[in-house]
Amino acid sequence: MKRPTISDIAEAAGVSIGAVSFALNDRPGVSAQTRERIRAIADEMGWQPSAAARNLSAARAEAIGLVIARDAATLGVEPFYMKFIAGLETELSATGTALVLQVVGDHDRAVEALRSLWAARRIDATILTDLWAGDPRVAALERMGLPGILVGHPSARPAGSTVPAIWSDDAAALNEAVNYLAGIGHRRIARVGGLVTLEHTRIRTAAFKAAAQRHGLASAEVVDTDYTWEAGAWATERLLTAADPPTAITFDNDIMATAGLHVARKLGLDVPGELSIVAGDDSQLCEMTYPSLSALARDVLAYGANTARLLLSFLDGAEPSDFQDATPRLLLRDSIAPPTR
Amino acid sequence: MKRPTISDIAEAAGVSIGAVSFALNDRPGVSAQTRERIRAIADEMGWQPSAAARNLSAARAEAIGLVIARDAATLGVEPFYMKFIAGLETELSATGTALVLQVVGDHDRAVEALRSLWAARRIDATILTDLWAGDPRVAALERMGLPGILVGHPSARPAGSTVPAIWSDDAAALNEAVNYLAGIGHRRIARVGGLVTLEHTRIRTAAFKAAAQRHGLASAEVVDTDYTWEAGAWATERLLTAADPPTAITFDNDIMATAGLHVARKLGLDVPGELSIVAGDDSQLCEMTYPSLSALARDVLAYGANTARLLLSFLDGAEPSDFQDATPRLLLRDSIAPPTR
């Protein structure tokens, strides 16, 4: 009888090839129960790891891969990403682990880059950010048997996938913002959202619309953008020059909120007298504007540090599981007031 | 006769072991002339590379190492570093090259990390930033035979070293700022500088003092800091609450300049009426404050891109040489006015 391959075992066990790879290489990504079941089936089928594969998997790269599918230049203006990377580094540096950072054009190239880093054992695991709904990279990780953690809501995970996720409750945060604005009398609130392809954009927009409906708002328009200053300015101008413009706008990041403030000033609107603004990420930008911007604030440095700590613990044998990070809270500064129109 | 080692060749040629390694491995770091001379001596002594070493050196890691000796958390709040890394990525991503980022506590650990990445051929070259005067990391690179580029003034390079540098004329930039402030009547100008251990801090402080002397200023105090918001606030408060406070302050980055603006406001001083402010780096922070901050502006994204492009060209066989990047220019916004005191 020919030696069984991991595909044979996967078929026999009714699990993915990735799950078999995780189980047989003693890597995180499957529950203890599934691991035992897969191993029992593999033993029964006479599976033996090759010596070469064993040696390969024993050598740790002491490096984590972060492959980002974005325009490289946007990284430098997006405070979220750099704080997140700095947060990763606070944990990685403590353990002498390197971060292998690669910026690519799209998800296919991201998968390619991860495959080649993993094949050469230049990384031990990866962190996936900017998750799409049903993100194709997640299935690719499992096929490769590359351990990883998803930064984003578990709902982005394809059915049957077991890659753990670290996430925060974006829906609750959006809900808090709308509750507060409606509570002080706003009836026309708009949202300037991020990339529609991203799972968390979808979650935030759904939460925004649900809250608006609950409060019976007169209008709750959503404009989708790409997170840039230019798009934030364009969206704000479009909203404020329409008939019945909103009296409050929530933006999906800090950059777009400052752009919105800029446009409001240009149009001669007083902030917060004639327009209230909520920034979707907090950063020093929000403190430094005049008026300073109220924001959905979270500790992004801690988010990055928690992500690295969890991933390292999985590599050290901890049972992989999802982790809910702190929920962003509405931090009131000077850009919110009751409506005057 | 025993086979000669690269130390034997270095001794015979009167050069460093690093220079021999560069020359024999056809890597950048020595001039064409020196390479030829070393090879001639090596041939004469009967030197032969081992097949193993040849194979090793032929395999490219397609990765560049950036090991930063800093507190990881400061990376996330320093717009310069984020933009510089984003700039590196614009070039690296175009060639499928990864950036291996590691944050460590000090220069000894940085050398250790680079040695281990290089020994495992996980990087092809490195970028050294935050150069100290006579930086010990530069000599270490040459001893290891690890190609690299210095981001900073060539004067930080130890005597005899041939590692190329990319730099910009910080002295000219500081000089322009003092010239302008003195030109509109300021006689008491202070400088809030960065880390004194850094070569570019030394260069900027020397340029500031020389310009102050040339203009016969009544006072030109320098306060050294660590680039943080807290240090910028502390330094500003110290300067503004002393007898005969300055009427203008130049800060060594944007974060400290915004902290300075904050402190001035707290002390009830009008900016720019009673205090003029110049930020030492430009970023969106400077545009967003009220008043917006005049800054010594440079295209940091391009600086990062140029650094990566140069280093990749050296790896592809281009002759290593120093490169002077664009000089930062004084960008006038709303934080400078003639003195009223």
Side-chain angles (χ1 to χ4, degrees), chain A residues 72 75 101-103, chain B residues 84-94 97 99:
Chain A
L75 283 185
L101 184 65
Q102 203 161 342
V103 176
Chain B
F84 183 75
I85 290 174
L88 292 177
E89 288 292 350
T90 59
E91 282 298 311
L92 296 179
S93 66
T97 306
L99 183 71

Side-chain angles (χ1 to χ4, degrees), chain A residues 60-61 72-73 76-77 82-83 86 89-90 93 96 98-103 122 229 255 258 284-285 288-290 301, chain B residues 60-61 72-73 76 82-83 86 89-90 93 96 98-103 122 229 255 258 284-285 288-290 301:
Chain A
R60 277 261 195 117
V77 293
M82 279 298 164
K83 273 206 191 156
E89 287 292 352
T90 58
S93 65
L99 183 71
V100 177
L101 184 65
Q102 203 161 342
V103 176
R122 294 220 203 125
W229 167 276
I255 297 278
T258 55
Q284 268 173 317
L285 274 179
M288 286 299 100
T289 54
Y290 186 82
L301 203 69
Chain B
R60 277 259 195 118
M82 311 184 210
K83 275 206 192 160
E89 288 292 350
T90 59
S93 66
L99 183 71
V100 177
L101 184 65
Q102 204 160 342
V103 176
R122 292 221 205 127
W229 166 277
I255 298 279
T258 55
Q284 268 173 318
L285 274 179
M288 287 298 101
T289 55
Y290 186 80
L301 202 70

